[in-house]
């Protein structure tokens, strides 16, 4: 082999080696990359396995924690929990709360049929429900039942039963969630009992009761139907409270507006008592007192209204208000109203403010003579006369007794004189029986705002009393004449008796040689000695038989009545004393004072003899007249006991011309 062939062969061999090396290197690189990729896959797989391992560890840990939490929750649950075999009904696990509810220990419960815990009264209603399912599902149902405790007491429980379907088809299970609702059941029973009681009270109440919701009536009892004058409940239900009320209440506020305000107040504070005016079906308006209360009825808030008809009470209040400001006898205002009104009117804008005082003349005389009924009639008539003489806005009041007052704001003296004149003219045309009406007036006007109104009142009163001094005596004289005329009209026998006694008194005065003035006085005494009989019942005066004791006592009052009548007239004060004593006796056994001998006024001793003589010799309702001889003998017999002996002698010898044998 030559040198060139050698170098060529060597070059070829070297090229082949280099190519093979290069290819080997490429193959090695490729294989290395595959190995690296595999290593990475293994590493990743290792990491994944390591991750899964730790994840499983974490899951197992979490599962363990969850199971622990579940067990804690199970043990400490506020509800009772029990697990039972659906097929056998036996309990295989319960929590402490369930054991507490049924009143037993946990170990006493495991393995027993939970139906054995059921109250005997609930056995008939078998609430044991088992639902077997092929797949994992859960079906619930709720029941309420009673458990019975070892001590015999029972517990009401609300039970939620769930049927559990496990892969183990041979052991289907039920889980029971048990809530003790004994207190709730007791409360429900109480509520039912309360509602029953409420309904009984509601329907049977004598007070009207309505229930309202959203201002509308949702129920009412029979008393409310009757009070409102309807014939059925259906006509009232759904009406608003203002539908059965007048448009406005007495204070002028609309019933609707006021009802809203009151309802809101009751909802806020719970209850409210007030007065209200309702309207019957026929339109009659009447007052009620309402106690409105917010209550819960079947879980809903309603308003419970109790009505009481206060019509009678309102009438009484009106009467009391009337009495507090009105004079019952005359219907005019009374002193209380006058005093309040005087203060109200005592302001500058009412000046000149005039006070007129009025006093009825002879009232006491009329009361004593004719009785208080006649006096009351006189006062009523005076009130009417004053009202007719005054203006419509003038304030007239009776202060009491015989005194009246008139308040005249913005009225001057000139107008007052015209008003008083009108009243007096009205009085002239009026009489009470046979009695004329006489009124004395006095007045005073406040012109300056600084004047004391009480001083103005006193000046008006003083002025009135001055007028009365002049006007009253004349009235009394007229009244006494009216009394005598009335007595004589009532009893003609008394009239004849009085005139005969008066004539004999005149003869006796002449026989005694008395001055002419004293004879006239004695004659007047004879005429008036029985004036007190005006107050005695006519049936008693004219009774045909013997008088009863009380009638006799009434008759014996006539000297005192006569005295009161006559003593009201100043110039008759002495005559009044003589009349008072004309039934006194010489020996002190007479009446009314039991005077004796010369304690008895001389004129009274004369009247006593003449009165007795004429009574015996004239016809009476209870007997015929006695003869003069019998009467004289009776007087002689009673001389020195009933009669003054000296006066008897003068009467018999000088007046009757009787000569003793």
């Amino acid at each position: 082999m030559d040198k060139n062939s050698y170098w060529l062969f060597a070059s070829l061999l070297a090229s082949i080696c280099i190519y093979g090396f290069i290819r080997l290197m490429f193959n090695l690189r490729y294989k290395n990359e595959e190995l690296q990729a595999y290593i990475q896959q293994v590493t990743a797989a290792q990491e994944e396995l390591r991750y899964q391992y730790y994840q499983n560890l974490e899951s197992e840990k979490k599962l363990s924690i969850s199971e622990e939490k579940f067990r804690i929750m199970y043990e400490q649950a506020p509800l009772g929990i029990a697990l039972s075999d659906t097929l056998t009904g036996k309990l295989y696990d319960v929590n402490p709360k369930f054991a507490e509810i049924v009143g037993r220990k946990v170990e006493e419960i495991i393995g027993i049929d939970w139906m054995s815990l059921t109250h005997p009264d609930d056995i008939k209603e078998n609430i044991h429900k088992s639902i077997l399912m092929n797949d994992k599902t859960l079906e619930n149902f709720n029941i309420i039942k009673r458990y019975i405790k070892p001590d015999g007491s029972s517990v009401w429980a609300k039970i939620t039963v769930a049927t559990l379907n496990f892969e183990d088809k041979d052991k289907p299970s039920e889980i029971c969630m048990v809530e003790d609702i004994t207190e709730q059941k007791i409360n429900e029973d109480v509520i039912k009992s309360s509602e029953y009681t409420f309904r009984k009270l509601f329907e049977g109440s004598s007070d009207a009761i309505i229930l309202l919701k959203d201002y509308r009536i949702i129920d009412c009892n029979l008393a409310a139907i009757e009070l409102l004058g309807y014939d059925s409940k259906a006509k009232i239900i759904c009406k608003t409270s203002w539908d059965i009320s007048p448009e406005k209440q007495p204070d002028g506020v609309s019933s609707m507006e006021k009802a809203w305000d009151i309802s809101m107040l009751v909802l806020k504070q719970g209850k409210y008592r007030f007065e209200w005016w309702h309207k019957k079906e026929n339109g009659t308006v009447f007052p009620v007192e309402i106690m409105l209360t917010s209550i819960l009825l079947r879980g809903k808030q309603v308003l419970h209204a109790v009505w009481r008809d206060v019509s009678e009470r309102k009438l009484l209040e009106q009467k009391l208000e009337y009495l507090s400001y009105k004079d019952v006898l005359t219907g005019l205002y009374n002193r209380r109203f006058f005093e309040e009104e005087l203060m109200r009117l005592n302001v500058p804008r009412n000046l000149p403010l005039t006070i007129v005082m009025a006093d009825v003349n002879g009232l006491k005389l009329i009361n004593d003579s004719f009785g208080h009924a006649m006096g009351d009639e006189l006062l009523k008539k005076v009130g009417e006369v004053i009202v007719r003489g005054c203006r419509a806005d003038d304030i007239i009041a009776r202060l009491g007794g015989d005194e009246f007052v008139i308040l005249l704001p913005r009225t001057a003296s000139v107008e007052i004189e015209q008003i008083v004149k009108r009243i007096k003219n009205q009085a002239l045309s009026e009489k009470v029986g046979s009695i004329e009406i006489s009124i004395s007036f006095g007045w005073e006007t406040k012109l300056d705002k600084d004047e004391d109104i009480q001083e103005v009142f006193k000046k008006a009163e003083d002025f009135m009393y001055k007028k009365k001094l002049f006007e009253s005596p004349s009235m009394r004289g007229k009244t006494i004449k009216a009394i005598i005329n009335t007595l004589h009209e009532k009893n003609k026998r008394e009239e004849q008796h009085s005139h005969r006694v008066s004539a004999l008194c005149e003869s006796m005065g002449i026989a005694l040689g008395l001055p002419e003035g004293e004879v006239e006085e004695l004659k007047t005494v004879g005429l008036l000695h029985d004036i007190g009989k005006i107050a005695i019942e006519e049936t008693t005066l004219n009774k045909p038989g013997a008088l009863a004791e009380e009638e006799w006592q009434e008759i014996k009052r006539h000297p005192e009545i006569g005295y009161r009548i006559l003593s009201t007239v100043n110039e008759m004060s002495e005559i009044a004393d003589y009349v008072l004593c004309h039934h006194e006796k010489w020996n002190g056994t007479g009446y009314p004072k039991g005077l004796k001998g010369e304690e008895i006024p001389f004129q009274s001793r004369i009247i006593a003899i003449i009165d007795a003589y004429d009574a015996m010799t004239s016809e009476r309702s209870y007997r015929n007249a006695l003869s003069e001889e019998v009467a004289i003998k009776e007087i002689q017999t009673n001389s020195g006991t009933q009669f003054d002996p000296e006066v008897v002698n003068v009467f018999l010898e000088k007046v009757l011309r009787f000569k003793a044998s």
Side-chain angles (χ1 to χ4, degrees):
M1 178 181 297
D2 61 15
K3 187 176 180 180
N4 287 331
S5 297
Y6 174 81
W7 282 110
L8 181 62
F9 176 78
S11 297
L12 180 62
L13 181 63
S15 297
I16 292 169
C17 288
I18 290 169
Y19 172 77
F21 178 77
I22 291 171
R23 186 172 179 178
L24 176 64
M25 288 301 294
F26 273 109
N27 287 337
L28 286 173
R29 183 178 178 183
Y30 175 75
K31 290 296 182 180
N32 185 56
E33 286 178 353
E34 284 186 343
L35 179 62
Q36 288 296 324
Y38 179 74
I39 290 170
Q40 287 178 356
Q41 289 177 355
V42 170
T43 301
Q46 286 178 337
E47 289 297 324
E48 179 67 22
L49 288 172
R50 188 180 292 110
Y51 175 77
Q52 291 294 333
Y53 172 75
Y54 283 112
Q55 282 291 98
N56 289 338
L57 284 178
E58 187 68 24
S59 296
E60 287 178 3
K61 184 178 179 181
K62 287 181 178 179
L63 182 60
S64 176
I65 292 171
S66 296
E67 288 177 350
E68 182 64 24
K69 285 183 178 179
F70 172 77
R71 175 53 59 178
I72 292 171
M73 291 172 62
Y74 178 77
E75 296 293 336
Q76 297 181 358
L79 297 177
I81 304 173
L83 299 174
S84 67
D85 187 316
T86 305
L87 296 176
T88 64
K90 291 184 178 180
L91 299 164
Y92 62 83
D93 197 3
V94 297
N95 71 345
K97 185 64 178 179
F98 181 85
E100 177 190 329
I101 290 172
V102 298
R104 291 170 173 80
K105 295 180 180 179
V106 172
E107 55 268 23
E108 293 175 354
I109 302 171
I110 301 300
I112 67 172
D113 185 346
W114 68 291
M115 284 295 291
S116 65
L117 302 174
T118 305
H119 192 282
D121 292 346
D122 292 344
I123 295 294
K124 294 178 182 178
E125 299 179 13
N126 188 351
I127 45 73
H128 186 118
K129 294 183 179 179
S130 297
I131 305 174
L132 299 176
M133 306 292 291
N134 293 325
D135 55 351
K136 295 178 181 179
T137 60
L138 180 68
E139 183 168 330
N140 297 342
F141 63 92
N142 296 320
I143 59 171
I144 292 176
K145 61 173 286 185
R146 282 178 292 174
Y147 286 120
I148 187 164
K149 291 185 176 182
D151 62 5
S153 61
S154 58
V155 179
W156 282 96
K158 179 181 179 182
I159 305 170
T160 301
V161 181
T163 301
L164 301 173
N165 295 286
F166 300 107
E167 291 181 358
D168 185 359
K169 300 291 185 178
D170 296 329
K171 192 179 180 181
S173 298
E174 289 178 343
I175 181 171
C176 301
M177 308 292 289
V178 182
E179 179 185 0
D180 185 349
I181 60 168
T182 304
E183 185 175 348
Q184 179 183 330
K185 285 291 291 183
I186 291 172
N187 289 337
E188 286 177 359
D189 291 341
V190 169
I191 290 170
K192 286 180 181 178
S193 176
S194 297
E195 288 186 354
Y196 175 78
T197 303
F198 171 79
R199 179 54 58 179
K200 292 290 287 183
L201 292 173
F202 178 81
E203 296 296 347
S205 175
S206 59
D207 290 328
I209 304 175
I210 66 167
L211 299 177
L212 300 113
K213 183 167 178 27
D214 299 329
Y215 307 105
R216 293 193 176 274
I217 299 170
I218 59 173
D219 202 355
C220 64
N221 66 354
L222 181 61
I225 298 170
E226 292 176 349
L227 185 61
L228 289 169
Y230 288 88
D231 55 16
S232 70
K233 184 183 293 190
K235 291 185 177 180
I236 300 175
I237 300 301
C238 293
K239 288 183 180 290
T240 64
S241 57
W242 53 85
D243 287 336
I244 54 172
S245 305
E247 183 179 351
K248 292 184 178 181
Q249 291 297 305
D251 59 3
V253 180
S254 76
S255 294
M256 179 188 293
E257 181 183 344
K258 200 160 189 175
W260 284 346
D261 292 342
I262 291 173
S263 296
M264 295 303 296
L265 180 65
V266 173
L267 291 173
K268 183 178 180 181
Q269 66 183 32
K271 60 182 179 180
Y272 183 57
R273 186 188 296 274
F274 59 99
E275 287 187 357
W276 189 266
W277 286 77
H278 273 300
K279 183 174 64 176
K280 295 180 183 285
E281 187 180 27
N282 63 10
T284 303
V285 175
F286 64 100
V288 294
E289 182 183 69
I290 299 178
M291 184 64 195
L292 192 60
T293 309
S294 176
I295 66 169
L296 283 175
L297 185 64
R298 293 187 286 276
K300 296 180 180 179
Q301 190 173 42
V302 300
L303 295 181
H304 175 273
V306 179
W307 298 351
R308 281 197 180 158
D309 187 346
V310 292
S311 300
E312 291 185 7
R313 193 186 77 190
K314 280 293 181 185
L315 286 174
L316 180 59
E317 287 175 357
Q318 290 171 5
K319 288 180 181 178
L320 290 174
E321 183 179 2
Y322 179 88
L323 290 174
S324 66
Y325 287 112
K326 292 282 187 145
D327 175 56
V328 178
L329 179 64
T330 62
L332 302 176
Y333 292 116
N334 60 15
R335 177 182 286 274
R336 176 185 174 187
F337 180 87
F338 161 74
E339 290 174 349
E340 292 181 8
E341 198 69 0
L342 183 62
M343 294 301 102
R344 186 182 71 82
L345 294 175
N346 186 29
V347 291
R349 70 172 181 273
N350 288 322
L351 298 180
L353 176 59
T354 300
I355 300 175
V356 179
M357 292 293 297
D359 191 282
V360 182
N361 294 317
L363 178 64
K364 185 178 184 302
L365 180 58
I366 292 168
N367 282 335
D368 289 339
S369 306
F370 297 98
H372 285 81
M374 180 71 82
D376 289 347
E377 286 300 315
L378 176 63
L379 290 171
K380 287 192 280 187
K381 186 64 70 175
V382 168
E384 293 171 8
V385 164
I386 293 175
V387 169
R388 289 202 302 267
C390 289
R391 300 166 303 187
D393 295 334
D394 295 338
I395 297 163
I396 307 163
R398 180 187 172 211
L399 298 184
D402 53 5
E403 289 187 339
F404 294 78
V405 64
I406 310 169
L407 277 177
L408 304 161
R410 296 183 294 278
T411 307
S413 297
V414 176
E415 294 176 90
I416 298 302
E417 290 176 1
Q418 295 174 349
I419 291 170
V420 171
K421 185 177 180 180
R422 278 203 307 271
I423 296 172
K424 286 193 169 187
N425 288 336
Q426 290 282 342
L428 289 175
S429 61
E430 296 286 350
K431 279 189 176 183
V432 178
S434 59
I435 306 299
E436 295 180 2
I437 295 176
S438 173
I439 312 169
S440 295
F441 291 92
W443 59 89
E444 183 65 27
T445 301
K446 177 177 177 176
L447 300 171
D448 190 331
K449 65 181 179 63
D450 294 327
E451 282 186 88
D452 185 350
I453 194 64
Q454 294 301 327
E455 283 297 317
V456 174
F457 176 81
K458 189 175 183 305
K459 287 178 181 178
E461 192 174 42
D462 290 343
F463 182 27
M464 180 267 294
Y465 282 129
K466 287 178 184 177
K467 298 286 285 293
K468 191 175 180 69
L469 286 174
F470 295 100
E471 297 169 354
S472 187
S474 172
M475 175 59 190
R476 288 181 188 137
K478 291 178 181 178
T479 303
I480 287 173
K481 287 181 181 178
I483 292 168
I484 291 295
N485 291 336
T486 303
L487 175 62
H488 293 167
E489 287 173 6
K490 185 166 71 170
N491 194 316
K492 288 297 180 182
R493 203 162 34 241
E494 286 295 332
E495 179 182 12
Q496 294 164 3
H497 169 70
S498 296
H499 283 294
R500 287 196 299 269
V501 170
S502 178
L504 287 171
C505 283
E506 182 181 20
S507 299
M508 188 71 176
I510 294 170
L512 289 168
L514 298 177
E516 185 178 347
E518 292 184 20
V519 172
E520 281 299 316
E521 182 183 59
L522 190 58
K523 181 181 177 182
T524 303
V525 175
L527 185 65
L528 301 178
H529 76 285
D530 275 341
I531 193 172
K533 287 184 178 178
I534 188 67
I536 307 300
E537 289 290 336
E538 190 172 352
T539 53
T540 302
L541 288 176
N542 297 324
K543 187 174 180 179
L547 295 176
E549 178 60 27
E550 59 272 15
E551 293 170 330
W552 173 239
Q553 292 302 323
E554 185 183 2
I555 288 287
K556 288 170 70 175
R557 289 176 50 241
H558 79 274
E560 297 174 71
I561 297 170
Y563 170 79
R564 289 201 301 271
I565 292 171
L566 297 172
S567 62
T568 59
V569 181
N570 292 333
E571 60 270 22
M572 289 189 175
S573 58
E574 288 186 347
I575 292 176
D577 287 331
Y578 305 154
V579 168
L580 177 65
C581 300
H582 80 276
H583 277 291
E584 299 288 353
K585 293 183 180 180
W586 185 254
N587 63 3
T589 60
Y591 61 88
K593 299 169 72 175
L595 300 179
K596 183 179 180 181
E598 293 186 0
E599 293 176 348
I600 305 168
F602 182 61
Q603 289 83 348
S604 299
R605 283 177 261 162
I606 294 172
I607 294 291
I609 297 169
I610 296 173
D611 182 37
Y613 171 78
D614 188 75
M616 286 187 283
T617 57
S618 59
E619 188 174 343
R620 295 283 161 161
S621 58
Y622 52 87
R623 62 160 174 79
N624 294 324
L626 301 178
S627 65
E628 186 177 9
E629 291 77 11
V630 172
I632 290 172
K633 185 176 182 182
E634 188 68 22
I635 289 173
Q636 288 175 325
T637 301
N638 289 283
S639 179
T641 55
Q642 182 176 349
F643 308 118
D644 180 346
E646 292 184 6
V647 177
V648 168
N649 290 335
V650 173
F651 178 67
L652 294 179
E653 293 177 4
K654 294 188 177 182
V655 176
L656 298 183
R657 311 279 183 188
F658 175 76
K659 298 291 184 180
S661 56

Coordinates of all heavy atoms in Angstrom, one line a residue, residues 4 38 55 84 101 133 137 146 210 227 292 301 341 405 476 502 537 542 551 587 593:
N4 N 0.2 7.2 -0.4 CA -1.0 8.0 -0.6 C -2.3 7.2 -0.3 O -3.2 7.7 0.3 CB -1.1 8.3 -2.1 CG -0.1 9.4 -2.4 OD1 0.3 10.2 -1.6 ND2 0.4 9.5 -3.7
Y38 N -37.4 12.1 31.3 CA -37.9 11.1 32.1 C -37.7 11.4 33.6 O -38.6 11.2 34.4 CB -37.3 9.7 31.7 CG -37.8 8.6 32.6 CD1 -39.1 8.1 32.4 CD2 -37.0 8.0 33.5 CE1 -39.5 7.0 33.2 CE2 -37.4 7.0 34.3 CZ -38.7 6.5 34.1 OH -39.1 5.4 34.9
Q55 N -51.5 16.0 51.0 CA -52.9 16.4 50.9 C -53.8 15.4 51.6 O -54.7 15.7 52.3 CB -53.3 16.4 49.4 CG -52.9 17.7 48.7 CD -53.6 18.9 49.2 OE1 -53.1 19.6 50.0 NE2 -54.9 19.1 48.7
S84 N -82.0 6.0 65.3 CA -82.7 4.7 65.5 C -82.6 3.8 64.3 O -82.5 4.3 63.2 CB -84.1 5.0 65.9 OG -84.8 5.5 64.9
I101 N -84.3 15.6 77.9 CA -85.7 15.9 77.5 C -86.6 14.8 78.0 O -87.7 15.0 78.6 CB -85.8 16.1 76.0 CG1 -85.2 17.4 75.6 CG2 -87.3 16.1 75.6 CD1 -85.1 17.6 74.1
M133 N -85.0 3.8 51.2 CA -84.7 4.3 49.9 C -83.5 3.5 49.4 O -82.6 3.1 50.1 CB -84.3 5.8 50.0 CG -85.4 6.6 50.6 SD -86.9 6.7 49.7 CE -86.3 7.7 48.3
T137 N -80.6 9.3 49.8 CA -81.5 10.5 49.9 C -82.0 10.7 51.3 O -81.7 9.9 52.2 CB -82.8 10.2 49.0 OG1 -83.5 9.1 49.5 CG2 -82.4 10.0 47.6
R146 N -95.8 13.5 72.7 CA -95.4 13.6 74.1 C -94.6 12.4 74.5 O -94.8 11.3 74.2 CB -96.7 13.6 75.0 CG -97.4 14.9 75.1 CD -98.6 14.9 75.9 NE -99.7 14.0 75.3 CZ -100.8 13.7 75.9 NH1 -101.1 14.1 77.1 NH2 -101.7 12.9 75.2
I210 N -116.3 46.9 71.1 CA -116.0 46.7 69.6 C -114.5 46.5 69.5 O -113.7 46.9 70.3 CB -116.4 47.9 68.8 CG1 -115.6 49.2 69.1 CG2 -117.9 48.2 68.9 CD1 -115.8 50.3 68.2
L227 N -126.8 49.1 71.6 CA -126.6 50.5 72.0 C -126.6 51.4 70.8 O -127.1 52.6 70.8 CB -125.2 50.6 72.7 CG -124.8 52.0 73.2 CD1 -125.8 52.5 74.3 CD2 -123.4 52.0 73.8
L292 N -110.1 52.6 75.6 CA -109.5 52.1 74.4 C -108.1 51.5 74.7 O -107.3 52.2 75.2 CB -109.4 53.1 73.3 CG -109.0 52.7 71.9 CD1 -110.1 51.8 71.3 CD2 -108.9 53.9 71.0
Q301 N -102.3 42.9 66.2 CA -102.6 44.0 67.1 C -103.9 44.7 66.7 O -104.1 45.1 65.5 CB -101.5 45.0 67.0 CG -101.5 46.1 68.1 CD -100.3 47.0 68.1 OE1 -99.8 47.4 67.0 NE2 -99.8 47.3 69.3
E341 N -118.8 86.7 87.1 CA -119.0 87.6 86.0 C -118.6 89.0 86.3 O -118.2 89.7 85.4 CB -120.5 87.5 85.6 CG -120.9 87.9 84.2 CD -120.3 87.0 83.2 OE1 -119.7 86.0 83.5 OE2 -120.6 87.3 82.0
V405 N -129.8 91.3 91.5 CA -128.8 92.3 91.0 C -128.8 92.2 89.5 O -129.0 91.2 88.9 CB -127.4 92.0 91.6 CG1 -126.9 90.6 91.1 CG2 -126.4 93.1 91.2
R476 N -146.1 97.3 103.1 CA -146.5 96.4 104.2 C -148.0 96.7 104.6 O -148.7 95.8 104.9 CB -145.6 96.7 105.4 CG -144.2 96.1 105.3 CD -143.4 96.3 106.5 NE -142.0 95.9 106.3 CZ -140.9 96.6 106.6 NH1 -141.1 97.8 107.3 NH2 -139.7 96.2 106.4
S502 N -164.1 93.7 117.1 CA -163.7 95.1 116.9 C -164.7 96.1 117.5 O -164.4 97.1 118.2 CB -163.4 95.4 115.5 OG -163.0 96.8 115.3
E537 N -154.4 76.0 107.9 CA -155.1 75.4 106.9 C -156.6 75.6 107.0 O -157.2 75.5 108.1 CB -154.8 73.9 106.9 CG -153.4 73.5 106.5 CD -153.2 73.7 105.0 OE1 -154.2 73.7 104.2 OE2 -152.1 73.8 104.6
N542 N -162.1 75.1 109.6 CA -163.6 74.8 109.4 C -163.9 73.3 109.8 O -165.0 72.8 109.4 CB -164.0 75.1 108.0 CG -163.8 76.5 107.6 OD1 -164.1 77.4 108.4 ND2 -163.4 76.8 106.4
E551 N -153.6 69.2 115.1 CA -154.4 70.4 114.6 C -154.6 71.4 115.6 O -154.5 72.6 115.3 CB -155.8 69.8 114.1 CG -155.7 68.9 112.9 CD -157.1 68.2 112.7 OE1 -157.8 68.0 113.6 OE2 -157.3 67.9 111.5
N587 N -154.1 83.3 135.3 CA -153.4 82.4 136.2 C -152.1 81.9 135.6 O -151.5 81.0 136.2 CB -154.3 81.3 136.7 CG -154.7 80.4 135.5 OD1 -154.3 80.6 134.4 ND2 -155.6 79.4 135.8
K593 N -146.6 82.5 125.8 CA -145.5 82.7 126.7 C -145.8 82.3 128.1 O -144.9 82.3 129.0 CB -145.2 84.2 126.6 CG -144.7 84.7 125.2 CD -144.6 86.2 125.1 CE -143.4 86.7 125.8 NZ -143.2 88.2 125.6

